[in-house]
Amino acid sequence: MVAMVTQELGRRERKKAATRQALSDAALRLFAERGYDKVTIAEVAAEADTAVATVFAHFPAGKDALIFDDGSARRADLEAAVRERPEGTSILDAVHGYLARRGPFIEGMNAEQRTKADLIINTPALRAYARTLWIGCQDALVQAVADESGRDPRDPGVRSLARYVLELPDLIGADDDPRASLEAAFVHLRLGWPDL
């Protein structure tokens, strides 16, 4: 009985993930073809062969959320980058490495990644939503940095560092060379927080 319930939950979760991915793919395709502002939720639902209610069941935050995850994986991965960094790797190097593998900072993006990054950077609503997801990682990053450095999470230096790091995708993601800007930003961060 337990095995059947577990198997059913697994099937249900896979189906939910597949539906969510189909909606996300349809939204990205339509937004890239016609522009974010010219696509409705109903059109995304039709493109993914689902009901409008299904879109909101999977993306309760609405249209802005359609091409993003819910932010929980981002928080967990960022926290893990700090807490599980290799021996001898500074906190700042770990965070720098994490950001370099995300969004506009990815080196050698494939076509889908480039399309998504350009869409987010050039669409104010999506860019604002992305910033909200990044800022949503602040408490987790503050706690991880505090724990790993032996500082108090209320330390203004720790909170300032976390906020600044999390603003970088929005602040420099649209630069002509975002990776070079990321490198430059971390040069300055290392000067300001040499012990992290």
Side-chain angles (χ1 to χ4, degrees), residues 45-126:
E47 180 78 8
D49 196 25
T50 65
V52 170
T54 302
V55 176
F56 287 107
H58 289 276
F59 296 93
K63 187 176 168 183
D64 296 348
L66 276 164
I67 61 170
F68 296 97
D69 59 24
D70 66 1
S72 59
R74 181 185 313 235
R75 276 189 304 280
D77 292 346
L78 179 57
E79 187 175 2
V82 173
R83 293 186 186 278
E84 299 168 16
R85 68 193 187 283
E87 182 75 31
T89 301
S90 72
I91 291 171
L92 284 174
D93 286 347
V95 173
H96 182 189
Y98 171 79
L99 286 176
R101 296 184 302 274
R102 300 290 303 205
F105 307 117
I106 296 172
E107 190 169 43
M109 285 187 203
N110 64 36
E112 183 179 340
Q113 290 168 326
R114 172 54 49 209
T115 297
K116 188 173 180 178
D118 289 346
L119 182 65
I120 293 167
I121 287 167
N122 296 311
T123 306
L126 294 177

Side-chain angles (χ1 to χ4, degrees), residues 12-25:
R12 204 173 300 145
E13 290 306 312
R14 285 191 306 273
K15 187 175 179 184
K16 283 172 62 175
T19 300
R20 186 176 172 86
Q21 188 63 53
L23 287 165
S24 192
D25 291 347

Side-chain angles (χ1 to χ4, degrees), residues 35-53:
Y36 173 83
D37 294 325
K38 294 180 180 167
V39 176
T40 66
I41 293 281
E43 291 169 322
V44 171
E47 180 78 8
D49 196 25
T50 65
V52 170

Side-chain angles (χ1 to χ4, degrees), residues 27-38:
L28 181 58
R29 194 169 41 255
L30 290 173
F31 294 165
E33 288 172 5
R34 298 188 1 226
Y36 173 83
D37 294 325
K38 294 180 180 167

